[in-house]
Structure formats: C-alpha cells, structure tokens
Amino acid sequence: MEQQQSVRDNPLAFESTGRLIAKYSVPSVIAMLVSSLYNIVDQIFIGQGVGMLGNAATNVAFPFVNICIALSLLIGIGGASNFNLNMGRGENEKAKSFAGTSISLLILSGLALSIFSLLFLKPILIAFGSTKQVFPYALTYTRITALGFPFLIATNGFCNLIRSDGSPRYSMVVMVTGAVINTCLDPLFIFGFHWGIAGGAAATVIGQIVSCVMAAVYLTRFRTMKLTKDCLKIKADNLKAIVSIGIASFFNQIAMMAVQIALNNTLAYYGALSSYGSDIPLACAGVIIKVNAFVMAFAIGIAQGCQPILGFNYGAQLYGRVRDTLKKEIITVTAIFSAAFICFQLIPRQIVSIFGEGSAAYFHFAERYFRIYLFMVFINGLQPIVSNFFSSIGKAWKGIFLSLTRQILFLLPLILLLPIFLGIDGVMYAGPIADGIAAVTAFFLGRHEFIQMQKLETSQDSSETAAAVLR
C-alpha cells in the first residue's frame, strides 16, 4: 500500500498532462535541436569556408552520427523506459539497477565504435558514397570526429536518464552548452586559425566533451536515488530488457543510416549520368538531410520528453492519462511540421543559401529536391511519435516494426527502384511516397492501441464500481 501511495503522490500521476508535456518536452526539444545544430553549424561554416566539397564531405560522414545516436537511443531510451516503468510500479531498487547498467553500456559502446571506425575508416567512407574529390575532406573530418564518438553517445544516453530522473532542464543545459561552445569555436578554428574542415571537426569534439562531463557530474548525484558502484554492473536480465525496449529507436536510426548510404551512392551514380554531375547532388542532399533532421528533432524531442509521462502512467495503469498525452503529442507535432512544409515549399533557395554559395545548377537541384522530397513533411512526425509511444509502454516489437516502415520497408526500395525509370528524379519522388505510406501505417497501429487502452480503462471503472457496491 505504501508503494502504491508513493506512486500516486508522484506528479507524473496527477499533474495536468499539458503542463507535464511542456515541462518535459520543451527542454527535450531544445536539447535535440541543439544536438542537430552540431551538424548544421558545421555544415554552414564548412560550406562558407571550404565550399561545396566540404558540404558533400559532411554528408558522407553523417552516417557515423546516425550510428552514434542509434546506440545512445538503444541504451538511453531502453534504460530510461525501464527506469520509469519500474518507478511507476514502485520497484525503486530495480529502477536503480537499470540506470547503472545503462551508464556502463553507453561508455563501452562509445569506445568500441570509436576504435572500430578509426581502424576501418577509409573503406567505410568509400562504402558511404564518397567520390574521389570528396574523399580527402571526408577523411580529415571523420578522423577527428571519431574521437568524439564516446562523448556523443554517452551524452545523449545520459540525458535520457537525467530527464527520467525529473531534471529535463538540466538535460537541456547540457546539450545547449556543448552547442554554444561548438558554435563559438567553429569560426575561430575554420577562419581564424585557417584549419578548414579539420577546424569544424575539432570544434564539434570539444563541445561534445564538455557536454559529456556535465552530464556525468549529474549522474553522481541522481535526484530520486543514489547510484552506487554495484549499480554499474551489467546484468544480463537488465541488458535484455533495455535492448527489447530501446531496439525500436535503434532500428529507426540504423534505418536512416542505411537509407542515407543508399541515397549517397544512388545520387552519385545517377548524378554522374545527368547534367548536374555527381558532386552537386551529394552536396545538396547533405544540406537537405541536415535541415530535415533539424525539423525531425521536434518530433524526437517531444517523443523523448513524453517518455517518462507515458511509461510511468502506463506502469501505474492510468490509461486515460496515457491516451491524453499521446493525443496532445500528435497535435503539437503535426502543427510544427505543417509550418516546416510551408517553408520548404516557399523559400527553399533562401534556406540553401545559408549553407554557402553554389552554381545555378546547384541551386536548381536543391530547390527541386526540397519541394519534392519533403512534400509530405507535414505528416512525418506521426511515425516517430507512435513508435516511441510503443517503446515507452513496453511494447517493443510494435515500436520496432514502425521504426522500420518508412526507412527500410518503403523508402529504401523506392530509392533503388524509381531511379531506374525516372533517373535522378526518382530519388526525389521516393521521399513523399514513403512518408505517406508510413504515416498511414502509424495512424492505424496507434489507433488500435488507443482503443485497447479505452477498453482497459472501462474495465477498471467497472471493477472499481463493483468493489464499491460490495463494500
């Protein structure tokens, strides 16, 4: 009874869902936007200081960022979701164990990826779609940024735990601090010290190190409980539970990486057969992917911010609050993405111009790419919101399926098949077709779960009424 009372006394169980969403999601969105700014700021300064080939190089290197984020989400969301689900059930010691296991896994995975990347960097960059002209820039950039992989993975994963501990604002401050440092150092290193693309990479790594140190300091003084050295032991049961929930977000990022690699190679191949050449499509794709990632940061940030609310209330069997939270998430994200759609259709040239100058062919391709590839962006937020919802309530396999729909099941085959018939234009049209099908799939799966929760809530009300009559 005491545990049950402590659960009901938690603000997650009774505070207004709208207020909770704002409290948890706004810092999370800011943190995600700031995280995406690492790449956008580099793209802007490198584009201005190095030129089109620099933009293409950061695009070729971007799949590494997808891998880092994938690992941090796998462990961070998996650990944080299990932490909140067990806190909602009143099992505090078990929740503490999940937090410790997650911390250890984040550190080890970051070190492993950094070492592997540096050992096999050249063949990996070629596989990622680098052309001969772009390769030297991509090699220089990635050799430096690979040193920051452990810090990038740890920081993003730690921030999920920090939010779950009830400190979304500190999580935001961690990410903002690193981004501000990166933004200040980029022009100094690129233009002041004349380090070129190496300067952009160095600024990124320094910002990541500072953010990681700040996040690690917080974890030594967890709010809801005190973590001990014993908590840091990796337990097989915890590992399985973390992976089972975090795997959906992991697959979503890996799918994005696989699509980008296919996209880079397809653009380079069919670009060489067109009037644009191979380097212009690669450079344009780099800009558009970063801008789209910035917009997607809103959906991912809101989804991650709502994870503690969804997980806690589902664990506490407060299904009405879960449904209300999900409904408000979807409405908010759709409004934001609709605004992005208007910008992409009306001012694509102005957006591309921020990332440096180019030829008339460069801007012509970029404008068409924006308008066609991102034509369905207004409904793109539905898939990550619903996928993360399933992960938050412990229904990992539904989340996994949804995370694979847009990227692997729909977009990847279309990117490979449509250019056979439409040339390089086929790549552009693959985007909106895949987006539309993925959104419809997410809607029906989410709607089904919504109805199931309504039935559970009705059943609860009937049981409580019967118990009151008996008393």
Side-chain angles (χ1 to χ4, degrees):
M1 287 294 294
E2 288 182 6
Q3 280 189 338
Q4 190 175 33
Q5 185 60 43
S6 68
V7 168
R8 299 288 173 172
D9 289 341
N10 193 308
L12 290 173
F14 64 83
E15 195 170 324
S16 161
T17 55
R19 188 174 300 171
L20 285 171
I21 291 171
K23 178 182 177 181
Y24 280 84
S25 290
V26 170
S28 178
V29 167
I30 293 173
M32 287 302 302
L33 291 175
V34 166
S35 179
S36 70
L37 277 176
Y38 272 117
N39 303 300
I40 287 181
V41 168
D42 278 349
Q43 191 92 36
I44 291 172
F45 283 115
I46 289 170
Q48 297 287 348
V50 181
M52 186 184 74
L53 292 178
N55 277 335
T58 59
N59 181 36
V60 169
F62 196 63
F64 281 111
V65 176
N66 290 132
I67 298 172
C68 289
I69 299 300
L71 289 170
S72 67
L73 292 178
L74 170 69
I75 302 165
I77 285 183
S81 295
N82 278 291
F83 177 86
N84 286 123
L85 284 167
N86 283 286
M87 288 289 287
R89 295 169 186 143
E91 299 177 2
N92 293 1
E93 286 302 312
K94 199 169 181 181
K96 184 196 298 186
S97 177
F98 274 109
T101 297
S102 298
I103 292 169
S104 297
L105 288 172
L106 286 164
I107 294 169
L108 291 174
S109 62
L111 291 171
L113 178 62
S114 181
I115 293 169
F116 178 83
S117 301
L118 289 170
L119 288 175
F120 302 101
L121 188 54
K122 291 182 179 181
I124 290 174
L125 289 175
I126 293 171
F128 283 178
S130 179
T131 63
K132 288 183 179 180
Q133 283 186 294
V134 172
F135 184 79
Y137 295 94
L139 188 63
T140 299
Y141 184 78
T142 315
R143 272 181 175 160
I144 298 171
T145 54
L147 300 175
F149 291 168
F151 303 102
L152 176 59
I153 291 170
T155 301
N156 282 278
F158 290 171
C159 282
N160 278 288
L161 294 173
I162 292 170
R163 281 192 294 272
S164 294
D165 190 48
S167 299
R169 288 184 182 177
Y170 187 85
S171 171
M172 176 190 69
V173 170
V174 167
M175 301 302 296
V176 169
T177 302
V180 169
I181 291 171
N182 180 38
T183 303
C184 293
L185 293 180
D186 259 328
L188 176 65
F189 290 172
I190 294 172
F191 303 112
F193 294 170
H194 304 290
W195 289 356
I197 199 166
T204 297
V205 173
I206 292 171
Q208 290 167 349
I209 291 172
V210 174
S211 289
C212 186
V213 170
M214 290 177 63
V217 167
Y218 177 93
L219 295 178
T220 63
R221 49 183 178 84
F222 231 58
R223 282 180 59 184
T224 53
M225 59 190 68
K226 183 174 177 58
L227 296 178
T228 62
K229 288 183 179 179
D230 288 339
C231 295
L232 298 176
K233 294 178 180 177
I234 298 175
K235 298 178 181 178
D237 289 343
N238 288 356
L239 175 60
K240 182 179 178 181
I242 287 170
V243 171
S244 69
I245 289 182
I247 197 75
S249 298
F250 173 82
F251 276 142
N252 193 43
Q253 286 293 320
I254 292 299
M256 288 171 65
M257 182 195 73
V259 166
Q260 186 171 359
I261 293 170
L263 189 66
N264 287 347
N265 282 283
T266 304
L267 286 171
Y269 178 79
Y270 286 98
L273 300 178
S274 72
S275 59
Y276 299 109
S278 59
D279 292 327
I280 284 178
L282 271 181
C284 291
V287 170
I288 290 163
I289 285 170
K290 302 291 172 55
V291 173
N292 189 44
F294 184 80
V295 175
M296 288 299 293
F298 283 97
I300 296 171
I302 289 172
Q304 288 188 10
C306 289
Q307 177 267 316
I309 308 168
L310 295 167
F312 185 94
N313 283 286
Y314 195 86
Q317 299 183 350
L318 301 174
Y319 301 116
R321 291 177 61 79
V322 176
R323 290 189 295 108
D324 191 49
T325 301
L326 178 62
K327 188 190 301 182
K328 288 173 179 174
E329 278 187 89
I330 292 171
I331 292 171
T332 303
V333 168
T334 303
I336 293 169
F337 277 50
S338 295
F341 167 79
I342 294 170
C343 292
F344 294 164
Q345 294 301 312
L346 296 182
I347 54 169
R349 186 184 182 92
Q350 289 86 337
I351 296 172
V352 176
S353 297
I354 297 172
F355 296 86
E357 293 301 317
S359 64
Y362 170 78
F363 280 110
H364 180 262
F365 184 84
E367 287 181 45
R368 293 191 69 240
Y369 201 141
F370 254 115
R371 289 190 171 119
I372 298 173
Y373 191 78
L374 298 178
F375 185 76
M376 298 294 286
V377 71
F378 58 91
I379 56 172
N380 275 2
L382 190 60
Q383 186 254 359
I385 288 291
V386 178
S387 176
N388 189 77
F389 158 69
F390 282 119
S391 297
S392 298
I393 66 173
K395 299 194 175 184
W397 288 107
K398 288 185 178 181
I400 292 169
F401 172 73
L402 272 181
S403 70
L404 294 176
T405 51
R406 178 186 183 272
Q407 304 291 341
I408 299 299
L409 298 182
F410 307 138
L411 184 56
L412 186 58
L414 288 169
I415 285 174
L416 297 175
L417 292 174
L418 288 183
I420 296 174
F421 307 101
L422 302 175
I424 200 165
D425 283 359
V427 176
M428 302 183 198
Y429 287 106
I433 295 171
D435 291 340
I437 301 172
V440 170
T441 305
F443 172 79
F444 282 108
L445 279 177
R447 182 174 178 272
H448 178 264
E449 193 64 35
F450 205 89
I451 293 170
Q452 292 300 112
M453 284 190 292
Q454 281 182 316
K455 291 179 180 178
L456 288 170
E457 193 176 9
T458 302
S459 177
Q460 277 183 334
D461 291 341
S462 299
S463 298
E464 288 173 3
T465 301
V469 170
L470 289 174
R471 283 198 297 269

